[in-house]
Amino acid sequence: MANLEILTYPDERLGRVSERVERFDEALRTFIVALSQALDAGPGGVGIAAPQTGQLQRIVIIDCSRARKPIPNKGRLVLINPELTAWKGMEVGREGCLSVPNYTGNVIRATEITLQAQDECGALHDYCFQGYEARVVQHEIDHLDGLLFLDRLVSRRVDLFQRKTFLPSKE
Amino acid sequence: MNPWYMLTVVGQDRPGIVARLTDVLYAGGCNLGEASMIRLGGNFTIMLMVQGALPPAQLEALMQPVVDALCLRLHIDPIDGALYQQREPPDVRITVHGADRAGIVARVTGALAEAGLDILDLASEVAGNEQKPIYVMYIDGYARRGVDALQAALATLSHDGFVARLEPIQTISC
């Protein structure tokens, strides 16, 4: 399969809702290899969703081992037909996207999520993600629903929820 | 390519400043770039990138009727309109608060600059009341020499009547 092109905003395909994957065949696995290569081609990218390449199917790949600064992660995961089953906590964090070049913005996401997703063979798995990795998964699932982080921006200047903070020493 | 200008506009806050200024710029064939507009102590302040074929004097003449009508002050500088460039996102947020007194900004930003902070965005507010004013400042920046260096710099300031906190910002890129 040829190299996949990353669609960029305002391409209208980024706003469409993707279809569930019904056939777990060789064509699917070939596409997943190409999608994985597209993720690797982006500098520092930690996730990619099929609709970012114009393939309107509910497939995402995440790989937080590629984060600039090391964070706890589950490595590379292919999540097909992901369904959020629970979430808790909210936090403002900064996001960027291959489909929105040269822009980062603040978005509120759940700090912990659980979900079910299928793998390349159709087997169902349960996952729990926290923090940075949970944010990445939510960002990618948004792509499957035709949403970009631009649709969820909050104020650049105000943090609604404080993240982990280093307090000054009180010697 | 038409030249870029930075417009600086300041005046007492009132409804309609942004709408009327941008309308006259649009009617004059100008293109708007990035902007920062905020209310500071009852004044409305605008820093606005504007691109247009007009020389600065004509741009000023175009805006003067609205500027006069709204009792604003206008300043125009030619600039390099460097848009669409890869920018390092902020990787650290510093918040500072304390009793308002002279020198907080100079001391904090001086120590952070020495420790390798590039300030990308700074906002501050004065709260409390006249008897007990409180100063609050937010800085988003890029830590060229790492977050630990900034943390060490802040620790040296932490006994001076204000509190400075640092939190890392990790940007996801998907």
Side-chain angles (χ1 to χ4, degrees):
Chain A
M1 183 175 271
N3 290 345
L4 298 175
E5 179 195 356
I6 302 293
L7 306 182
T8 55
Y9 184 80
D11 192 303
E12 59 88 20
R13 286 170 288 180
L14 291 167
R16 292 198 210 160
V17 177
S18 292
E19 302 282 339
R20 284 183 61 83
V21 173
E22 303 293 352
R23 298 179 61 180
F24 293 82
D25 55 10
E26 197 53 38
L28 173 66
R29 286 184 278 279
T30 300
F31 172 72
I32 287 169
V33 169
L35 189 62
S36 192
Q37 289 168 348
L39 171 60
D40 290 334
V46 290
I48 192 167
Q52 286 181 276
T53 67
Q55 183 96 358
L56 297 177
Q57 287 188 292
R58 300 187 78 81
I59 305 167
V60 307
I61 301 175
I62 66 157
D63 187 352
C64 291
S65 70
R66 288 167 50 83
R68 282 185 172 191
K69 294 174 184 167
I71 46 105
N73 69 88
K74 299 183 190 333
R76 185 160 298 210
L77 292 175
V78 178
L79 306 173
I80 300 175
N81 300 327
E83 296 283 351
L84 276 176
T85 53
W87 64 269
K88 66 179 180 182
M90 285 191 287
E91 187 177 58
V92 174
R94 204 158 184 101
E95 301 189 10
C97 183
L98 295 171
S99 296
V100 187
N102 298 324
Y103 184 75
T104 62
N106 285 346
V107 177
I108 299 174
R109 301 285 189 189
T111 54
E112 186 173 328
I113 58 171
T114 57
L115 62 84
Q116 285 192 323
Q118 290 168 281
D119 62 21
E120 298 99 311
C121 301
L124 200 58
H125 300 273
D126 292 300
Y127 297 96
C128 180
F129 298 101
Q130 294 180 325
Y132 183 99
E133 203 168 37
R135 175 172 296 275
V136 171
V137 172
Q138 289 168 86
H139 177 113
E140 298 306 340
I141 290 177
D142 267 355
H143 278 301
L144 306 183
D145 294 325
L147 294 172
L148 297 172
F149 78 101
L150 297 176
D151 298 308
R152 296 190 185 274
L153 287 177
V154 297
S155 169
R156 205 158 56 101
R157 291 188 180 271
V158 181
D159 253 349
L160 301 180
F161 305 92
Q162 274 207 329
R163 289 181 291 275
K164 191 181 295 178
T165 300
F166 294 123
L167 292 171
S169 64
K170 297 206 171 187
E171 293 168 34
Chain B
M1 175 100 42
N2 288 327
W4 282 95
Y5 302 99
M6 184 65 76
L7 270 55
T8 309
V9 182
V10 180
Q12 189 171 9
D13 194 18
R14 64 174 67 193
I17 293 175
V18 178
R20 292 184 63 181
L21 282 175
T22 54
D23 184 60
V24 77
L25 289 167
Y26 172 64
C30 295
N31 180 35
L32 305 187
E34 297 184 343
S36 174
M37 307 187 190
I38 193 166
R39 183 182 162 116
L40 298 174
N43 303 283
F44 196 72
T45 67
I46 297 175
M47 300 287 286
L48 174 62
M49 289 176 66
V50 173
Q51 184 183 39
L54 303 175
Q58 285 186 34
L59 182 59
E60 189 170 352
L62 174 73
M63 299 182 67
Q64 205 61 52
V66 176
V67 165
D68 289 343
L70 295 172
C71 302
L72 302 171
R73 293 185 298 283
L74 168 69
H75 183 79
I76 300 174
D77 289 302
I79 58 164
D80 178 17
L83 298 174
Y84 318 117
Q85 295 182 353
Q86 188 80 33
R87 288 178 284 195
E88 204 64 59
D91 63 359
V92 66
R93 153 73 60 91
I94 294 113
T95 56
V96 178
H97 63 84
D100 188 20
R101 62 190 177 91
I104 294 178
V105 179
R107 297 203 58 215
V108 171
T109 57
L112 292 172
E114 284 223 349
L117 179 70
D118 290 342
I119 294 177
L120 303 176
D121 193 355
L122 185 153
S124 66
E125 294 180 59
V126 177
N129 54 47
E130 285 189 22
Q131 288 71 41
K132 293 179 73 175
I134 300 166
Y135 191 76
V136 184
M137 178 167 66
Y138 312 84
I139 302 172
D140 281 358
Y142 179 67
R144 275 183 285 108
R145 300 214 297 270
V147 167
D148 289 346
L150 300 180
Q151 187 59 37
L154 288 181
T156 66
L157 299 173
S158 63
H159 309 286
D160 252 2
F162 57 85
V163 173
R165 290 198 172 92
L166 177 153
E167 60 180 311
I169 300 171
Q170 196 164 14
T171 301
I172 72 166
S173 175
C174 296

